[in-house]
Amino acid sequence: MDIYLPAGFKMCRGIAELSNTCLERLTLDECLAWKESLGKLLSNKHGLYAFRAFLKSEFSEENLAFYLACEDYKNTKSTAKLPCKATRIYEEFIGNEAPREVNIDYETRDMTQANLNSPTTSCFDYAQYRIYILMEKDCYPRFLRSAAYRNLVNQLMAKSAKARSKKAPTTRTPCEEDKPK
């Protein structure tokens, strides 16, 4: 089973690992920005990790895996590699009895299959768009309502409050020496 991540992204094992290992670098504002859109969530490496971990916990990671595979495919530099990569993505996610089959309609499936006759970097665009919309309407709202996301926000709120209290100036009572004479 391939894991598709954009270049430069490393995989965390899940939200628990994210909250322990990556928490130092993750800010509350960054985490709250994930609520703005699925695009913001997916474009943030910590958001992507957390969302993937959530989907894994629900046994529904195939849509995100397909979306990321399409992103990787679109960034393929060598046109000679496109046919092989396209076939692999189709067989893994779209074809009959695909091991990680995504939920797309027959029209989209047929259109995508026809695109494989002459693969270009855009041959999965419509299928990817359909899956993005599906995630946006289904998985993404569930993620934002999940205990895992709420716990992460709470941890970051506590971390932020602790950091603010350390930076707050301490007030001291004036001593006799400090009083003007």
Side-chain angles (χ1 to χ4, degrees):
M1 175 186 333
D2 291 331
I3 295 177
Y4 301 98
L5 289 172
F9 280 46
K10 295 179 183 172
M11 187 65 185
C12 283
R13 287 191 180 90
I15 286 185
E17 184 176 325
L18 173 73
S19 61
N20 293 331
T21 306
C22 308
L23 199 56
E24 296 89 38
R25 288 173 264 137
L26 180 61
T27 67
L28 178 60
D29 289 341
E30 186 178 7
C31 189
L32 293 174
W34 301 346
K35 288 180 162 186
E36 293 174 24
S37 71
L38 178 59
K40 285 239 183 193
L41 174 71
L42 296 179
S43 66
N44 178 278
K45 68 180 178 179
H46 301 303
L48 180 60
Y49 299 158
F51 190 51
R52 181 185 286 263
F54 169 74
L55 293 174
K56 277 185 175 183
S57 75
E58 293 203 335
F59 305 100
S60 60
E61 183 197 7
E62 67 282 346
N63 288 337
L64 179 59
F66 173 72
Y67 178 85
L68 294 173
C70 292
E71 287 297 298
D72 176 67
Y73 178 79
K74 285 192 277 191
N75 292 318
T76 301
K77 303 270 190 266
S78 168
T79 55
K81 292 181 180 181
L82 291 178
C84 180
K85 282 179 124 178
T87 300
R88 188 180 58 165
I89 291 169
Y90 185 85
E91 289 176 355
E92 186 172 350
F93 297 105
I94 298 173
N96 291 336
E97 305 202 20
R100 298 168 78 186
E101 187 175 5
V102 293
N103 186 12
I104 56 174
D105 59 85
Y106 287 108
E107 185 179 305
T108 304
R109 184 180 312 274
D110 290 345
M111 181 188 338
T112 305
Q113 185 176 23
N115 289 343
L116 293 184
N117 293 329
S118 312
T120 65
T121 54
S122 62
C123 71
F124 290 103
D125 283 0
Y126 189 67
Q128 183 187 26
Y129 168 76
R130 301 291 294 174
I131 291 302
Y132 183 91
I133 296 300
L134 183 64
M135 288 191 301
E136 190 173 50
K137 291 182 179 182
D138 181 40
C139 309
Y140 174 63
R142 279 197 333 266
F143 168 72
L144 294 176
R145 290 189 306 266
S146 72
Y149 178 70
R150 287 193 318 266
N151 290 342
L152 187 58
V153 168
N154 289 338
Q155 283 181 321
L156 290 169
M157 287 174 74
K159 175 186 155 195
S160 180
K162 186 176 177 180
R164 277 194 310 273
S165 70
K166 283 184 178 179
K167 290 181 181 177
T170 54
T171 56
R172 61 183 185 99
T173 55
C175 342
E176 288 297 317
E177 298 169 358
D178 293 341
K179 290 183 182 176
K181 295 183 183 179

